[in-house]
Amino acid sequence: MADTDMPVQPRRTGLTIRQRRRLSRGAQYVVFVAVVALVAVTADWGRLQNQFAQPDIARQLFPDIITVALKNTVLYTLSGFVVGLVLGMVVALMRLSSVGPYRWLASVYIEIFRGLPALLIFIFVGTGVPLAFPSVQYPGGIYGKVAVALGLVSAAYMAETIRAGIQAVPKGQTEAARSLGFSPARTMVSIVLPQAFRIILPPLTNELVLLFKDSSLVLFLGVTLEQRELAKFGNDLASTTANSTPILVAGLCYLLVTIPLSLVVRRMESRARREIR
Amino acid sequence: MSRPEVRIKDLHKSFGDNHVLRGIDLEIAQGEVVCVIGPSGSGKSTLLRCVNLLEEPGAGKVFVGGCEVTDPDVDIDAVRRRIGMVFQQFNLFPHLSVTGNLTLPQRRVLRRGKAESARIAAEHLARVGLSEKADAFPAALSGGQQQRVAIARALAMGPEVMLFDEPTSALDPELVGEVLAVMRMLADEGMTMMVVTHEMTFAREVADRVVFMDGGVIVEEGRPEQVVTAPRHERTRHFLSRLLDPAMAEVEPERPQGAGGDGPSPKRPPDPGLPDR
């Protein structure tokens, strides 16, 4: 442009940058509202309500959906989490070990169990292991079985998380502890792990949320009425009542737990960000 | 000189191809304060870290209090209890309070009781003038205060020797004095000390002996007034002139490869206001 006296000329469209930004924002809103309206108008709300939101059927679900199904879901999840945490810690320490075969074994474990669908592991634990070791009984019956299956799955993920947490603790911490006369094991337990766990608390809680959902796979292990968890419970009652309302209610029960957990994670993460300075 | 507290014999250490220590012989008598000075990369920190085996020497022997640190069968944790170490980056345990930083090592390593370790912790906090910070967490303290806590933590273990690895290099300039004051107090009390430092005033006034290292060897050593004020070697003179008046350093023209092995590029002494985190 030859006219250097007017450096901030409007472009060919005749709009300033601010005006164009506004136009683009407005267009996005229009598209968004149109899509929502289209879905709202074209959906058959009456049939949907009939199939998914029958108050009478929903009322029948209580209290069992809480006292049996939700309770079992929580129990399965927690037992799986505990097994996964302990096993994950062992695998993480093996990955960081100075012993070559330990590192190798841990890597193989992590790759295999992260690479397989949880469903296959459930089937393997439910049928494969009892076939291979007929004399071995899972302690706690179905609860033990679920704890092992969920634990095997989550341990692989948690091992990587824990390893990253341990490696995030500055090397100076280990050096300070060792120079004070701490043994390597003492250093790990008293100095490194407490700091590592503080770092990985948010991702571990995320793992808990994932496990909570994966616990629905219990239905592939074959459970009695008393052992049903949310997904199986909802599915069973949906077929007996020939209506999908139990599915919706079961879904809401999941959210009842997962949403608060997610909020806790978010708060922990923002606090951790603030502490980093 | 009374019997040597620290004895280093023909010490060598390499990191890969980098021969950092090329045969160091050094004795430190009981109650003696030795300051090790030298340009960065001269191996002085590595030498210090070899004394408590934070670095494993390639060859040579190190004795502390008559006990061979480099003996492969030595109980290194037991030896380290007798050697206090203070780091450039303080390395306080951030998950413990100031008192916790002082009591945990006593309890876990020395197996002292709760009351005894708390009493000793309070004693040493008072010595470094930080009694009122007993319940604070490290993150709430200034760098100078953190370093004084780190010194108190090492002292609470009752060491025979104290190693200082550039204890004031990460501090803001106005906080250096309070740490040096504590170190001077220790020296006056007869503590055996080995100090890697760039604080020439401290070296001149407090040290019994100054050791100048360059290129992995001890270039010269002697009384501080002699080494600091009237150095005999050109390398010492060159280093000291740059340290005492960094603004006078000139850009050295690049020399062709292979000329003069020990010609380091002009490096400023570490900026004390710049913790390398």
Side-chain angles (χ1 to χ4, degrees):
Chain A
M1 261 182 237
D3 200 350
T4 44
D5 287 346
M6 301 164 83
V8 206
Q9 271 285 336
R11 309 276 167 88
R12 258 184 311 141
T13 53
L15 295 174
T16 65
I17 290 179
R18 191 171 60 98
Q19 283 168 329
R20 285 199 304 159
R21 202 178 288 151
R22 234 193 236 162
L23 194 69
S24 148
R25 176 87 44 90
Q28 287 171 37
Y29 282 142
V30 169
V31 171
F32 178 71
V33 170
V35 168
V36 171
L38 194 72
V39 170
V41 170
T42 51
D44 188 338
W45 290 103
R47 269 175 47 194
L48 204 61
Q49 192 196 356
N50 213 21
Q51 184 65 19
F52 274 97
Q54 292 272 11
D56 293 347
I57 297 176
R59 229 167 283 138
Q60 286 172 27
L61 300 171
F62 291 91
D64 277 7
I65 196 164
I66 302 293
T67 56
V68 176
L70 182 60
K71 186 200 78 180
N72 276 334
T73 294
V74 169
L75 275 180
Y76 292 144
T77 308
L78 288 182
S79 56
F81 188 74
V82 169
V83 172
L85 194 62
V86 173
L87 191 59
M89 175 84 80
V90 172
V91 175
L93 291 176
M94 281 170 72
R95 270 229 53 190
L96 295 169
S97 162
S98 52
V99 184
Y102 283 174
R103 282 200 306 273
W104 182 78
L105 198 67
S107 302
V108 168
Y109 177 88
I110 290 169
E111 292 312 325
I112 287 181
F113 281 87
R114 278 203 312 186
L116 289 176
L119 173 58
L120 293 191
I121 294 165
F122 266 80
I123 293 171
F124 176 74
V125 167
T127 55
V129 173
L131 274 178
F133 308 100
S135 56
V136 177
Q137 286 281 324
Y138 285 107
I142 182 75
Y143 291 98
K145 219 186 261 185
V146 176
V148 168
L150 280 179
L152 284 175
V153 177
S154 60
Y157 292 94
M158 285 202 239
E160 284 295 88
T161 308
I162 295 169
R163 178 188 60 81
I166 289 174
Q167 288 181 328
V169 176
K171 201 164 137 260
Q173 292 290 313
T174 309
E175 289 184 349
R178 294 305 309 277
S179 73
L180 285 162
F182 282 85
S183 68
R186 260 272 156 244
T187 304
M188 188 52 84
V189 172
S190 299
I191 305 300
V192 177
L193 286 183
Q195 296 183 52
F197 266 95
R198 206 175 274 194
I199 296 169
I200 62 174
L201 208 54
L204 276 190
T205 315
N206 269 332
E207 182 60 30
L208 188 63
V209 172
L210 292 179
L211 270 189
F212 193 70
K213 297 185 293 173
D214 278 350
S215 67
S216 61
L217 295 168
V218 168
L219 77 102
F220 289 97
L221 293 180
V223 288
T224 66
L225 284 182
E226 285 306 298
Q227 295 166 343
R228 289 184 296 186
E229 44 66 61
L230 278 173
K232 171 104 171 118
F233 185 88
N235 200 27
D236 284 1
L237 274 111
S239 51
T240 52
T241 58
N243 187 282
S244 301
T245 305
I247 305 270
L248 183 82
V249 179
L252 291 176
C253 286
Y254 276 108
L255 295 181
L256 201 67
V257 175
T258 54
I259 289 178
L261 270 179
S262 298
L263 290 178
V264 168
V265 172
R266 218 168 290 171
R267 179 168 297 183
M268 284 191 296
E269 280 174 343
S270 69
R271 197 173 52 187
R273 251 198 305 277
R274 253 179 288 136
E275 275 172 9
I276 284 168
R277 283 175 289 169
Chain B
M1 280 213 288
S2 53
R3 86 177 167 90
E5 179 65 42
V6 178
R7 197 146 58 90
I8 298 167
K9 281 183 69 179
D10 194 30
L11 198 70
H12 288 262
K13 168 76 185 171
S14 299
F15 294 109
D17 290 338
N18 187 8
H19 207 157
V20 181
L21 297 179
R22 301 161 180 262
I24 302 281
D25 289 281
L26 184 66
E27 285 193 0
I28 300 177
Q30 242 169 24
E32 198 182 12
V33 177
V34 172
C35 280
V36 183
I37 62 173
S40 55
S42 60
K44 50 194 194 313
S45 279
T46 307
L47 172 64
L48 193 78
R49 291 161 60 86
C50 280
V51 174
N52 69 351
L53 225 64
L54 277 185
E55 300 291 353
E56 197 104 25
K61 289 183 174 177
V62 177
F63 299 85
V64 174
C67 183
E68 192 192 332
V69 179
T70 40
D71 179 354
D73 292 325
V74 78
D75 178 358
I76 188 62
D77 296 331
V79 180
R80 282 180 178 145
R81 277 168 225 168
R82 301 155 60 179
I83 310 171
M85 180 140 184
V86 176
F87 298 86
Q88 183 176 353
Q89 295 299 338
F90 329 134
N91 293 345
L92 291 181
F93 305 133
H95 61 300
L96 300 174
S97 69
V98 165
T99 300
N101 266 275
L102 268 72
T103 52
L104 186 79
Q106 294 184 60
R107 300 189 57 196
R108 294 283 180 269
V109 176
L110 302 177
R111 306 255 158 238
R112 283 181 185 149
K114 209 172 187 168
E116 190 193 4
S117 60
R119 180 179 57 75
I120 293 172
E123 234 168 66
H124 287 283
L125 277 183
R127 283 179 76 189
V128 300
L130 285 172
S131 295
E132 81 276 18
K133 297 288 184 189
D135 298 323
F137 277 79
L141 303 182
S142 75
Q145 291 170 333
Q146 289 192 50
Q147 194 60 298
R148 281 146 70 198
V149 172
I151 295 174
R153 177 176 70 179
L155 290 177
M157 306 295 282
E160 298 163 18
V161 191
M162 285 287 285
L163 309 177
F164 293 85
D165 189 3
E166 303 201 24
T168 57
S169 297
L171 294 176
D172 288 334
E174 78 272 20
L175 303 177
V176 168
E178 61 190 69
V179 172
L180 292 182
V182 169
M183 291 167 64
R184 187 190 292 258
M185 171 189 81
L186 277 184
D188 291 343
E189 289 171 5
M191 174 65 76
T192 310
M193 291 162 65
M194 186 171 172
V195 186
V196 170
T197 187
H198 292 286
E199 296 294 336
M200 284 307 124
T201 319
F202 179 83
R204 201 162 44 211
E205 292 177 8
V206 181
D208 297 305
R209 192 148 48 105
V210 171
V211 173
F212 173 71
M213 279 181 74
D214 193 11
V217 293
I218 293 178
V219 175
E220 81 174 279
E221 59 178 306
R223 308 277 317 159
E225 57 273 18
Q226 185 246 306
V227 176
V228 177
T229 332
R232 274 171 304 186
H233 286 76
E234 173 53 34
R235 276 146 91 185
T236 320
R237 265 198 293 276
H238 190 57
F239 169 73
L240 285 171
S241 70
R242 277 189 321 209
L243 192 64
L244 297 176
D245 199 353
M248 290 307 289
E250 286 168 14
V251 178
E252 285 178 22
E254 277 185 25
R255 274 173 294 186
Q257 288 262 317
D262 275 314
S265 56
K267 274 183 189 143
R268 293 191 308 125
D271 185 344
L274 230 180
D276 49 28
R277 240 177 261 184

